[in-house]
Amino acid sequence: MARREQARDTALEGYFDVGVPTPETPIGDVPMLAMDMETTGLDEQRHAIVSIGVVPFDLQRIRLAERRYWVVRPPRPLNERSITFHHITHSEIEQAPDLDDVLDELLAVMAGRIVVVHYRHIERTFLNAAVKARRGEGIHFPVIDTMSLEARLHRQSWWARLRRWLGRPPASIRLPDSRTRYGLPPYQAHHALIDALATAELLQAQIAHRYSPETPLREVWS
Amino acid sequence: MQVELLEIRQHMAQFPPFEQLSDDLLDELAGQVEVGYFQAETDIYRHGDAVEYLHYIRSGAIDLYRRNGDLYNRLSEGDIFGQFDLLRDRRVRFPARAIEDTLIYFIPLAAFQHLCEADDNFADFVEVERPRLESTVDQQRKGHEMLVTRVRKLASRAPVMVESDATVQEAAQRMGEHSASSVLVLAAPQTPDDSHAFTHEDGQLRRMVGILTDHDLRNRVLAEGRPASTTVGELIDERPITIQSDESVYEAMLRMLRNNIHHLPVLYRRRPVGVLHLSDIVRYETNSSLYLVDNIFRQPNVEGLAAMKSDVRAAFVRMVNEDDNSQMVSSSLSSIGRAFTRRLLELAEEELGPPPVPYCFMALGSMARNEQSIVTDQDNALVLDDSFDPEQHDAYFLTLAQRVSDGLAACGYSYCKGDVMATNSRWRQPLHVWQQYFRDWIDDPSPERLLHSSIFFDLDSVYGDEAFVESLQDLVAGRASQRPRFLAAMARNALNRTPPLGFFRTFVMEKDGEQNNTINLKRRGTAPLIDLIRVHALACGSRAQNSFDRLEDINKTRLLAGHSGERIRYALEFIAMVRIRHQVIDIQEEREPDNNIEPENVSDNERHNLKDAFQVLSNAQKFLKFRYPMPSQKR
């Protein structure tokens, strides 16, 4: 409602125009976008985004042909000594565009899709801060967080509580460990796009094992 | 290369048919893959579903089912499925079900078609009319020496040449001087710019106009009463059939056979550089084993023969490493085995004196089929003249049989466990008794009775009066095809040994789901194929003993539908070759060769091909069962 009218930026306007599926939509009908970012740190106020990988998918197929991947130049200069990135050189970052230059494309692929991440506090927070800094207004969007779906099972269930009570270490809900539980293969590369693919595969597996294609969106998003 | 696709392309690059793709094609492919996850025990496809993808198993395992619910195939990491559906009607023929949590890469139809167009190996691998097994066997054949060896290697001697106005007498003299069986005939070019002309040693322009052979001297000069002054030019056919020196020996052989000639002038461009004779090819092909056979006949005693055991193994290793196919290797080994047997009989006769009645020493089983391997035991029998009188003569033949049998054992052909040897009095009988044996087996069969007799249906003479064994072969060929109950019993026994269901990196999957870590390729592969070929051969009255010859006879009839005869041939060739190759590895690593292979020693490509070959066998067995049902007992 209001958000559409409030948006003054045309790209954001386009994003909000398409809207998101209603909370009652079965997950099997929801178009999704797996997203992963590499950042210079964990604090969105002090740190910045270096790369973004996205892969559109649904419960049937992950469409690699429609993948997008951007390297972007952080507004603040990098602290050379402390930061290393997988597969990205510092000169590559220096020659990369500002996020502002790719934001329109990013918003266009996000439009109409539910974003899927592993640990929502990075992608959603950083993207909101970055958009706000560049377009004067933030972007808040619903996400499905595969890590929190794992946490429900392994941290919040009565079985998990029992384990904790017995003094057993909690199951790891990091991306590679979560994948192993569903028989998904290990991926070597640390790369925003590979991690986005890994997250998409994990969600397909989680829905297959724990939910169903009929599960309404509201049960899994946050 | 795009780093983000590394994970995908590196995995695919390990497995056929992707392993042979260029980096560019692989990159392109990896970027088009779609990914899907299937929980264990869920359906991936149902019968008749539309197929728009080639499927690659990234992790996990799936089962493919026949429509009746029988398991068709089990696939795992790196396997592909759906290619046949894509090439056919794009409908699922074999429903697929995940048996483990499975991640599948879906390769879209357009990308699949692009790969088929861009890469012939890929197309060969997936094409329905040429399953990968066939293309592999063909590739092996392509790699075979006869196909890669150039004609110039065999025709190294400079040709003897005469002018066309020379007399046949002069030509004969030149041939005599050079002990050549042919001369090439030269003439002046018809025009200065004759495209067939070359510059001769003396600087003159010449063209080769024909070839004169000793065969011509006999048939066209002497037999036709022409004078010695006849000129060569009058006898020859212009436009002789020739071959270029860089063409293959195989092509040369084909050209000789097609034109029914034994001499082939070899040209380097237009200049004659030699003459290839059919015997050059024959000698070249059987070089190593001929030498061995010759040596066997020179041995003065059993000890000398036994000492040649290591020579036989060395020749075997050489043949396999020279990329001979299984038929050539096993027929050479059979010739060697026959030579040992003959030499032992000669030595025994020298010592025991001439036989009191005529006899024929008969080979059974693999030697009779000319399909011996390096791991083999002896199966033989004696067919004696009908004037044989046990009281008077049997002592001689028993001793003879013992000499041969002990000698063969000393040479590495172990005693037959089933006692099918001429030392067994049951298998040392006059012809009329043998005829009765065969009539009994054929006319009054039961699977149980025939269980140990199937070996007698591969029979050939090795030494002595061949007519005895020929009459038995005639009896079998004439009678067996008329006896449905006999064929049904033989077919029943041919189903006793079945192939495994699947072949994985570290184990063999059995039909009942059990996993083994070794497999006997003879018992589970070649033997059942040979058994079923034998049944069809008996049904069509073939007199051939060799399995490949039998298949040829079978294929002349309508016993087998479509391409299945060809498929069986490929499967037999492939399994036999894998078995042989692994025996060579055993010998080279100084282990005793056997028929077992361990899946972890099998290359990816071999493994996939073996799976296909076992599938061919499995299908052929099903057909056999259906084709030769047991007739009802009531008349």
Side-chain angles (χ1 to χ4, degrees):
Chain A
M1 48 111 217
R3 220 186 251 164
R4 157 83 181 87
E5 276 92 69
Q6 285 163 13
R8 276 156 298 167
D9 182 273
T10 49
L12 284 172
E13 217 172 89
Y15 170 75
F16 289 124
D17 249 358
V18 180
V20 293
T22 66
E24 297 306 320
T25 314
I27 184 74
D29 296 343
V30 174
M32 296 176 278
L33 184 75
M35 182 185 290
D36 188 74
M37 282 175 188
E38 217 169 348
T39 57
T40 58
L42 297 175
D43 180 353
E44 80 278 8
Q45 297 307 323
R46 294 193 298 119
H47 300 123
I49 300 170
V50 185
S51 67
I52 306 172
V54 294
V55 192
F57 77 109
D58 55 33
L59 283 193
Q60 276 75 48
R61 300 278 190 279
I62 301 161
R63 295 188 174 76
L64 271 176
E66 296 167 37
R67 72 194 182 280
R68 298 302 305 268
Y69 174 70
W70 300 277
V71 175
V72 292
R73 178 165 38 86
R76 291 168 285 268
L78 293 172
N79 180 341
E80 301 267 339
R81 281 170 308 169
S82 64
I83 306 164
T84 54
F85 299 100
H86 302 278
H87 304 295
I88 309 175
T89 63
H90 286 263
S91 69
E92 213 178 322
I93 292 175
E94 271 147 32
Q95 287 157 25
D98 186 86
L99 178 66
D100 198 46
D101 297 336
V102 304
L103 196 54
D104 290 1
E105 288 176 66
L106 176 61
L107 289 171
V109 275
M110 285 171 66
R113 299 178 184 276
I114 293 292
V115 171
V116 179
V117 298
H118 194 79
Y119 190 55
R120 63 184 179 276
H121 300 296
I122 293 287
E123 279 75 14
R124 187 151 65 180
T125 323
F126 269 78
L127 195 58
N128 183 45
V131 171
K132 193 166 192 178
R134 287 166 181 82
R135 305 278 161 109
E137 56 193 309
I139 173 171
H140 202 76
F141 50 91
V143 299
I144 297 175
D145 181 354
T146 51
M147 186 193 255
S148 90
L149 292 184
E150 279 306 273
R152 284 189 204 171
L153 191 72
H154 294 284
R155 297 283 162 85
Q156 293 143 25
S157 66
W158 66 267
W159 172 246
R161 284 191 213 113
L162 177 67
R163 276 176 61 97
R164 211 172 314 146
W165 185 72
L166 290 170
R168 302 277 169 77
S172 165
I173 52 175
R174 293 176 56 242
L175 182 57
D177 299 314
S178 303
R179 285 171 58 85
T180 306
R181 281 193 285 273
Y182 296 93
L184 287 165
Y187 286 155
Q188 305 302 322
H190 284 286
H191 184 284
L193 195 102
I194 291 293
D195 281 348
L197 170 65
T199 304
E201 289 170 1
L202 176 60
L203 184 75
Q204 283 188 338
Q206 287 171 326
I207 302 294
H209 283 254
R210 312 286 175 203
Y211 301 89
S212 87
E214 284 75 45
T215 303
L217 188 51
R218 64 177 153 74
E219 281 189 32
V220 289
W221 75 10
S222 39
Chain B
M1 191 194 51
Q2 293 161 295
V3 172
E4 70 248 37
L5 298 172
L6 204 61
E7 203 67 65
I8 291 163
R9 58 155 289 176
Q10 276 183 347
H11 194 269
M12 300 182 88
Q14 301 172 63
F15 296 92
F18 308 102
E19 61 184 1
Q20 294 178 345
L21 293 181
S22 70
D23 284 353
D24 287 347
L25 279 175
L26 261 180
D27 272 346
E28 205 181 312
L29 174 63
Q32 290 174 329
V33 155
E34 297 179 15
V35 187
Y37 177 89
F38 295 88
Q39 191 185 356
E41 307 303 329
T42 55
D43 289 331
I44 301 172
Y45 280 113
R46 297 206 165 88
H47 185 88
D49 281 354
V51 184
E52 287 153 357
Y53 299 92
L54 173 70
H55 309 85
Y56 173 88
I57 302 177
R58 173 60 179 81
S59 62
I62 68 148
D63 278 347
L64 297 177
Y65 291 92
R66 291 178 187 285
R67 219 196 299 204
N68 64 9
D70 284 354
L71 192 52
Y72 169 70
N73 207 348
R74 175 165 291 183
L75 304 175
S76 63
E77 186 173 336
D79 284 326
I80 58 172
F81 65 98
Q83 65 270 37
F84 300 143
D85 297 331
L86 282 185
L87 292 163
R88 243 165 41 111
D89 56 358
R90 298 186 197 162
R91 293 277 157 195
V92 170
R93 182 150 162 240
F94 300 117
R97 189 173 170 83
I99 53 167
E100 292 172 7
D101 290 337
T102 298
L103 198 62
I104 288 178
Y105 288 169
F106 293 78
I107 297 165
L109 179 61
F112 172 77
Q113 286 169 336
H114 177 61
L115 285 176
C116 288
E117 279 161 28
D119 190 285
D120 285 344
N121 284 326
F122 184 89
D124 279 352
F125 190 94
V126 298
E127 226 172 85
V128 72
E129 290 304 325
R130 288 175 52 81
R132 62 189 160 209
L133 183 60
E134 291 179 27
S135 46
T136 304
V137 172
D138 278 350
Q139 266 177 16
Q140 284 174 351
R141 217 165 45 184
K142 271 182 218 150
H144 182 259
E145 191 138 13
M146 195 149 71
L147 286 160
V148 295
T149 306
R150 308 288 161 208
V151 166
R152 59 175 170 260
K153 186 177 168 187
L154 300 194
S156 50
R157 231 174 87 179
V160 183
M161 299 190 275
V162 298
E163 292 293 321
S164 64
D165 56 6
T167 64
V168 289
Q169 188 170 25
E170 284 163 354
Q173 283 163 356
R174 295 292 303 281
M175 287 162 73
E177 284 161 25
H178 293 87
S179 34
S181 59
S182 65
V183 283
L184 298 184
V185 182
L186 304 180
Q190 285 154 330
T191 56
D193 57 348
D194 187 328
S195 62
H196 294 285
F198 68 97
T199 312
H200 198 33
E201 284 164 354
D202 54 12
Q204 300 272 329
L205 270 186
R206 281 284 172 273
R207 57 174 282 168
M208 210 255 304
V209 293
I211 182 169
L212 186 77
T213 66
D214 48 11
H215 185 258
D216 295 328
L217 292 176
R218 185 179 72 229
N219 290 4
R220 305 202 51 194
V221 181
L222 287 174
E224 293 180 6
R226 294 180 199 243
S229 58
T230 311
T231 63
V232 171
E234 291 173 50
L235 293 175
I236 54 164
D237 297 321
E238 290 258 344
R239 300 201 151 271
I241 295 149
T242 62
I243 191 154
Q244 289 291 319
S245 63
D246 62 348
E247 287 189 76
S248 70
V249 172
Y250 183 70
E251 182 57 40
M253 195 184 76
L254 284 184
R255 208 162 293 180
M256 289 186 195
L257 295 177
R258 209 176 289 139
N259 296 292
N260 194 26
I261 52 176
H262 290 171
H263 295 82
L264 200 54
V266 180
L267 304 184
Y268 174 70
R269 302 197 180 155
R270 295 173 299 268
R271 178 193 310 281
V273 291
V275 177
L276 192 67
H277 191 264
L278 189 58
S279 65
D280 295 330
I281 299 178
V282 174
R283 192 175 319 124
Y284 169 71
E285 270 304 302
T286 47
N287 197 5
S288 55
S289 46
L290 265 191
Y291 165 80
L292 242 168
V293 166
D294 189 44
N295 230 346
I296 288 170
F297 283 110
R298 288 165 200 261
Q299 296 305 317
N301 51 37
V302 177
E303 289 71 31
L305 289 170
M308 291 188 64
K309 212 163 106 177
S310 58
D311 293 352
V312 175
R313 289 200 169 172
F316 169 68
V317 170
R318 195 166 57 224
M319 281 187 276
V320 177
N321 288 342
E322 279 176 2
D323 256 346
D324 275 340
N325 61 31
S326 84
Q327 294 175 61
M328 286 184 170
V329 174
S330 51
S331 85
S332 298
L333 286 177
S334 307
S335 305
I336 291 167
R338 284 163 186 264
F340 274 121
T341 313
R342 278 186 203 149
R343 185 61 188 149
L344 285 165
L345 283 159
E346 284 174 5
L347 289 171
E349 280 191 15
E350 273 171 30
E351 206 183 317
L352 304 173
V357 298
Y359 73 93
C360 184
F361 196 85
M362 176 162 73
L364 302 162
S366 65
M367 189 192 280
R369 293 193 312 270
N370 276 333
E371 289 169 21
Q372 275 201 303
S373 89
I374 198 77
V375 182
T376 190
D377 53 4
Q378 43 172 305
D379 303 296
N380 50 55
L382 273 170
V383 186
L384 307 166
D385 189 81
D386 280 340
S387 61
F388 171 74
D389 171 8
E391 302 274 318
Q392 284 186 58
H393 307 136
D394 199 37
Y396 176 94
F397 287 111
L398 175 59
T399 315
L400 185 82
Q402 273 164 348
R403 294 286 165 89
V404 176
S405 187
D406 294 345
L408 283 173
C411 295
Y413 302 84
S414 48
Y415 296 108
C416 171
K417 291 183 199 77
D419 206 14
V420 179
M421 293 185 290
T423 47
N424 181 341
S425 66
R426 222 180 136 199
W427 313 132
R428 190 173 67 246
Q429 291 292 336
L431 180 58
H432 69 89
V433 176
W434 276 106
Q435 287 166 332
Q436 196 52 47
Y437 284 168
F438 277 99
R439 278 194 288 264
D440 285 350
W441 283 325
I442 295 171
D443 295 353
D444 189 16
S446 72
E448 299 72 29
R449 272 193 82 182
L450 291 177
L451 196 55
H452 301 292
S453 318
S454 67
I455 194 166
F456 292 96
F457 291 88
D458 303 333
L459 69 167
D460 201 13
S461 59
V462 177
Y463 185 85
D465 203 332
E466 293 170 4
F468 294 166
V469 173
E470 279 169 16
S471 87
L472 293 176
Q473 289 174 336
D474 288 343
L475 186 156
V476 172
R479 204 175 189 93
S481 58
Q482 314 300 318
R483 301 290 190 281
R485 279 184 58 222
F486 168 73
L487 294 174
M490 290 290 278
R492 179 82 64 82
N493 286 339
L495 302 174
N496 286 343
R497 296 177 285 197
T498 55
L501 180 68
F503 214 81
F504 289 78
R505 223 162 248 209
T506 52
F507 60 88
V508 178
M509 173 69 73
E510 300 294 349
K511 288 220 164 70
D512 57 7
E514 186 155 337
Q515 301 178 358
N516 284 320
N517 44 25
T518 177
I519 177 174
N520 185 314
L521 273 192
K522 180 186 178 188
R523 202 177 307 141
R524 309 296 300 281
T526 52
L529 275 167
I530 289 164
D531 284 348
L532 70 89
I533 292 168
R534 183 189 301 111
V535 179
H536 290 307
L538 289 166
C540 71
S542 164
R543 290 182 86 265
Q545 305 296 319
N546 178 269
S547 297
F548 294 97
D549 294 345
R550 282 173 167 171
L551 270 175
E552 247 170 57
D553 285 350
I554 295 163
N555 287 343
K556 285 177 200 149
T557 70
R558 291 185 181 191
L559 264 177
L560 296 180
H563 295 289
S564 44
E566 276 299 279
R567 299 230 166 96
I568 291 170
R569 184 167 75 82
Y570 283 119
L572 179 57
E573 173 62 35
F574 189 79
I575 300 176
M577 208 58 225
V578 173
R579 176 182 167 209
I580 284 172
R581 256 192 242 125
H582 281 259
Q583 288 171 342
V584 165
I585 293 170
D586 283 339
I587 291 173
Q588 284 174 335
E589 294 180 355
E590 295 181 2
R591 287 191 303 262
E592 195 53 29
D594 58 23
N595 293 318
N596 291 325
I597 63 167
E598 291 72 41
E600 57 255 42
N601 295 334
V602 175
S603 73
D604 275 339
N605 219 343
E606 258 182 355
R607 183 155 41 92
H608 280 92
N609 279 313
L610 273 178
K611 253 162 118 168
D612 285 358
F614 287 136
Q615 196 61 53
V616 170
L617 168 56
S618 183
N619 291 342
Q621 286 189 329
K622 286 199 184 83
F623 178 72
L624 193 75
K625 196 170 169 180
F626 154 82
R627 181 65 184 72
Y628 304 104
M630 196 58 87
S632 68
Q633 293 291 336
K634 295 174 222 160
R635 194 186 279 253

